[in-house]
Amino acid sequence: MKQFLLFSAFIVIFSCEKKEQVFEKPVNQEEEKVSDLNIQTINSFEIDSTGILAFPLSIEETIESSRIESSFKSDKGSSYWNIIFYNSNTGEKYLLSKQKMLISNYETGYSNYDSSNKKFTQIDTSSKKYIFYNIITDDYDGNKKLNYEDPTYLFFTDKEGKNLKQISPKNLNVVNWKIVPKTRKILFNVQKDSNGNKRFDEKDDIISMEYSLDTQKAPVVIFDENYKNFLLENFKKNWNSK
């Protein structure tokens, strides 16, 4: 069980409200009792009637006054430090990843909202071969903590929870994303730390990008600088003229 203390961390989509969440091993780790922490596997769900179960993992303190309270304290309930996948057909079990990470959301039964009809439409089955995750992996601001001040990245795996791959670029904070069923592309918006203050807020630039599930090549920027300049000139011409 001591190996779990070396993983720090604790998955919803894109809340603008960022609450402090820190998952760091305590300074006096060797002095702590392993019994102060429980590995929780009480919650699970089956993936599309495949017989494969996912167990999102959170850490619960059994001793309220534990000295590691400040290190594992969380104000956001739906966050996880890993996910166990268990194949009940074969008995195989494995983690989503062995790296340190904070999972803020995972999506298996995703759909698109049709604003014209004001209803959700299900994604076609050919696009539903994946599970998508919002994960924090980098201590971007250098405070030696993983929390919601660090950039959230978009990842995906196959339906078995294997072959974890990052979609969004490093050091860019994902704001939202959706699938375009017809083209099997992921459209997502990211924040760039434009002013270099190591924070992601309303002052930072928003970049729209797309990622092809078919080619799985690096995502591309939809509106480049030339097109943005064209938009600015158009705006000035139509709205700033006297």
Side-chain angles (χ1 to χ4, degrees), residues 73-92:
K73 186 175 181 180
S74 169
D75 293 326
K76 194 167 184 176
S78 55
S79 300
Y80 308 93
W81 63 274
N82 218 317
I83 299 176
I84 300 175
F85 290 90
Y86 172 65
N87 190 329
S88 62
N89 301 300
T90 64
E92 181 186 14

Side-chain angles (χ1 to χ4, degrees), residues 180-204:
V180 182
K182 187 174 183 179
T183 58
R184 286 172 47 81
K185 290 183 177 180
I186 308 294
L187 298 188
F188 59 96
N189 291 305
V190 292
Q191 284 177 309
K192 179 182 179 180
D193 181 18
S194 308
N195 54 16
N197 65 351
K198 296 297 181 178
R199 296 180 62 87
F200 297 95
D201 51 38
E202 65 279 357
K203 297 180 181 180
D204 292 319

Side-chain angles (χ1 to χ4, degrees), residues 77-118:
S78 55
S79 300
Y80 308 93
W81 63 274
N82 218 317
I83 299 176
I84 300 175
F85 290 90
Y86 172 65
N87 190 329
S88 62
N89 301 300
T90 64
E92 181 186 14
K93 50 184 177 290
Y94 46 89
L95 290 173
L96 172 65
S97 174
K98 292 183 179 180
Q99 73 180 111
K100 178 180 178 178
M101 59 185 177
L102 172 62
I103 307 170
S104 61
N105 189 59
Y106 53 86
E107 290 286 330
T108 58
Y110 35 89
S111 59
N112 277 345
Y113 183 71
D114 187 342
S115 57
S116 60
N117 296 322
K118 296 183 178 180

Side-chain angles (χ1 to χ4, degrees), residues 89-214:
N89 301 300
T90 64
E92 181 186 14
K93 50 184 177 290
Y94 46 89
L95 290 173
L96 172 65
S97 174
K98 292 183 179 180
Q99 73 180 111
K100 178 180 178 178
M101 59 185 177
L102 172 62
I103 307 170
S104 61
N105 189 59
Y106 53 86
E107 290 286 330
T108 58
Y110 35 89
S111 59
N112 277 345
Y113 183 71
D114 187 342
S115 57
S116 60
N117 296 322
K118 296 183 178 180
K119 65 179 182 179
F120 285 92
T121 57
Q122 292 298 315
I123 301 300
D124 66 292
T125 54
S126 64
S127 298
K128 294 189 66 175
K129 299 187 297 184
Y130 309 102
I131 304 173
F132 294 90
Y133 312 81
N134 298 109
I135 304 178
I136 298 169
T137 59
D138 294 337
D139 175 23
Y140 180 75
D141 55 10
N143 64 355
K144 299 182 180 180
K145 304 172 184 177
L146 284 186
N147 56 34
Y148 286 89
E149 300 301 321
D150 298 312
T152 295
Y153 300 138
L154 181 60
F155 286 77
F156 75 105
T157 64
D158 57 31
K159 276 294 186 180
E160 294 184 350
K162 295 181 178 180
N163 303 310
L164 182 66
K165 185 174 182 179
Q166 184 171 332
I167 293 176
S168 61
K170 188 179 179 65
N171 296 334
L172 297 179
N173 181 53
V174 172
V175 178
N176 52 35
W177 65 273
K178 68 177 180 179
I179 297 176
V180 182
K182 187 174 183 179
T183 58
R184 286 172 47 81
K185 290 183 177 180
I186 308 294
L187 298 188
F188 59 96
N189 291 305
V190 292
Q191 284 177 309
K192 179 182 179 180
D193 181 18
S194 308
N195 54 16
N197 65 351
K198 296 297 181 178
R199 296 180 62 87
F200 297 95
D201 51 38
E202 65 279 357
K203 297 180 181 180
D204 292 319
D205 292 338
I206 298 293
I207 303 172
S208 299
M209 309 189 77
E210 70 175 12
Y211 177 86
S212 171
L213 290 170
D214 291 329

